[in-house]
Amino acid sequence: MNNTFANKLKGFLPILEWLPNYKKTDLQGDLSAGLTVGIMLIPQGMAYAMLAGLEPIHGLYAVTVPLLLYAIFGTSRQLAVGPVAMVSLLTASGIASLNADSPEQYLIYALTLAFLVGLIQFGMGALRLGFVVNFLSHPVISGFTSAAAIIIGLSQIKHLFRINLPNSEHIQEMAVAIFQNIGEIHWITFGIGVIGIIIIKYGKKIHKSFPAPLVAVVMGIALVAGFDLTQYGVKIVGDVPSGLPTLSSPSFDMESWKTLLPIAFTISLVGFAESFAVAKTIQAKHKNYRLNANQELIALGMANFGSAFFRGYPVTGGFSRTAVNNDAGAKTTMASIISAILIVLTLLFFTDLFYNLPSAILAAVVLVAVSGLIDFKEPVHLWHKDKFDFTMLVATFIITLTLGIETGIISGMVLSLLVVIYKASRPHMAQLGRVPGTNIYRNINRFSDLDVKENLLMVRIDGPIYFANVEYIKDKLDKWIQERNDQVKMIVFNMESVTNIDSTGAHELNEWINTWRKAGTDICMTSIKGPVRDVLNRWAILECVGADHVFVDDNSAVAAYEHTMDTKTLEKYTPYAIQSNIKK
């Protein structure tokens, strides 16, 4: 009893799994990774908060309590949780329609969104609904991510060029606005931004642990302070409040909830898909612990609750930070705890240092981060390998770019489902022939020189027979019968690959059997799985087919057919369908 309770508690609080066995040898890697990611989080958190339409300080708040909560509840030991570019853009997109009256009101909407995301993710985890994210196929995520990365990049042009641009997530509107205002570029701001991009982009070539974003921040602050660039129009962050985040409360106004729920669902699914994908990649390299999709949802839900009640905004696991965390030697989520401590120290003692930080540097941080999200190889790869998936990727990409983030991801999910339904409605079907000199039967379209009898049609259906595909199956069978000039005297259904038959499938199968027999074409079945045989018995299909027309394998059915040509009877053959006690 006690062991059962302890195991359940460890399942809900994975920190209890690794913390009691924590080794001193792990501390070096966790300390190195925690400090490296913490340093990385400072400029990233501030930049992503700005992308979300919030004051930069809220990006730092979002990497304190949320990190600690994930460290307690998360099953991944290397995942680095916090603000990411995609979720930040989705946050800005979702709140924009509420037309906040003030920054304070905007913040309340952000807190509410974080609370809703936490509620959805925690609820999905508690109800074991982690599988839902599978409806976001890889091509959809790839197309959506690439399009969103372009939109994010264009949204930062106003900070990089210091020009006035509307807040929009439609590429056509952004492109027109940039073209109209391109002559207003503030060249000093642009120069600082370009220097920042170069440092962040190529700093890693010096050494993989080189804190390029932090160096860019220091450089930007030094340039502004040293040359008093604010008097020349360079926009800076200004006062950054010091101290720990105070308790906050989301709004429980139902009207706000109705508006924010669609984007909350989008963030929940996209955030979890991104987070779990990178967590699986890293876990595969270590293999000393297990990931649990439902517990990950609970952990991310708790992290978002932390953001909602401590002045943050929606968070998830990030690709780049997790990779850095792993490369820097993280062994457990102690690394995240160390990162959170570093952010707390920054909030307590060092916020004044960021007063002269140029907004162009934060834009540079975002631009470099999202440039890696644009995937050029995947569409080329899919074009050669899978046209269906290529079409989904391109459609999601174009819809996201032109109609917006939320419409793009919902369209992508719908497209994924439509493709699944389309493929399920067209199961693979094969005509079978005998390999000469054997009792083996194979697909006549894949093997040559098979023995095929003109008046014997052997068919294998690879998949369930149900309401969505019965018409396709019947049309295919009719076509094959017509191709043989209606000379088919016997249809042999190989059922080894049929996994299920629903009520519609059973009804149609019964109709087919009666119709064919009235037209002079007999039917028999082979290799029926136990669960499918149970269904056929329940709907009296085997009774309709006839116990003497059901066989263990194809060879028995063919032998019976050949005998029928001589004796016009199948009575000699003992079928297994009548042996109801046999389970296959």
Side-chain angles (χ1 to χ4, degrees), residues 358-512:
S359 297
I361 292 295
L362 295 180
V365 171
V366 174
L367 284 166
V368 174
V370 300
S371 65
L373 297 177
I374 303 174
D375 192 344
F376 295 102
K377 294 180 180 178
E378 187 64 13
V380 175
H381 179 71
L382 290 177
W383 170 254
H384 294 291
K385 303 290 185 182
D386 193 323
K387 296 293 194 298
F388 262 118
D389 282 356
F390 172 79
T391 303
M392 276 202 299
L393 186 151
V394 172
T396 305
F397 178 80
I398 293 172
I399 291 169
T400 303
L401 276 182
T402 56
L403 300 181
I405 299 288
E406 188 178 338
T407 305
I409 195 64
I410 292 172
S411 300
M413 289 183 69
V414 171
L415 281 172
S416 295
L417 287 171
L418 287 176
V419 169
V420 168
I421 293 169
Y422 177 76
K423 289 183 176 179
S425 69
R426 300 168 66 85
H428 178 259
M429 295 175 63
Q431 294 186 63
L432 304 180
R434 178 159 47 190
V435 178
T438 73
N439 293 329
I440 299 171
Y441 292 80
R442 291 290 182 264
N443 186 344
I444 65 173
N445 290 325
R446 292 181 177 270
F447 293 82
S448 58
D449 301 322
L450 298 179
D451 290 338
V452 179
K453 297 182 184 301
E454 190 68 19
N455 49 8
L456 174 66
L457 176 62
M458 299 188 67
V459 178
R460 190 186 72 229
I461 302 169
D462 298 332
I465 301 175
Y466 72 123
F467 70 94
N469 64 19
V470 287
E471 287 299 321
Y472 175 81
I473 293 171
K474 184 61 164 59
D475 289 344
K476 194 89 166 179
L477 290 169
D478 288 344
K479 177 184 175 185
W480 286 343
I481 292 171
Q482 289 172 7
E483 286 174 352
R484 299 196 184 189
N485 300 314
D486 294 321
Q487 295 181 17
V488 175
K489 299 301 180 184
M490 172 71 80
I491 298 173
V492 178
F493 265 118
N494 179 307
M495 305 287 280
E496 64 182 344
S497 298
V498 175
T499 54
N500 184 45
I501 301 176
D502 73 352
S503 60
T504 305
H507 175 77
E508 290 296 317
L509 196 53
N510 188 67
E511 289 291 319
W512 301 345

Side-chain angles (χ1 to χ4, degrees), residues 45-56:
M46 298 175 76
Y48 292 153
M50 190 172 71
L51 174 59
L54 294 160
E55 293 295 324

Side-chain angles (χ1 to χ4, degrees), residues 33-96:
L35 293 175
T36 302
V37 173
I39 289 170
M40 186 179 180
L41 274 171
I42 294 169
Q44 274 196 352
M46 298 175 76
Y48 292 153
M50 190 172 71
L51 174 59
L54 294 160
E55 293 295 324
I57 189 64
H58 296 288
L60 298 183
Y61 292 158
V63 286
T64 51
V65 175
L67 256 70
L68 297 174
L69 287 170
Y70 181 82
I72 294 170
F73 291 94
T75 57
S76 172
R77 299 186 184 178
Q78 285 79 32
L79 189 69
V81 171
V84 298
M86 184 79 68
V87 170
S88 299
L89 180 66
L90 287 168
T91 298
S93 170
I95 298 175

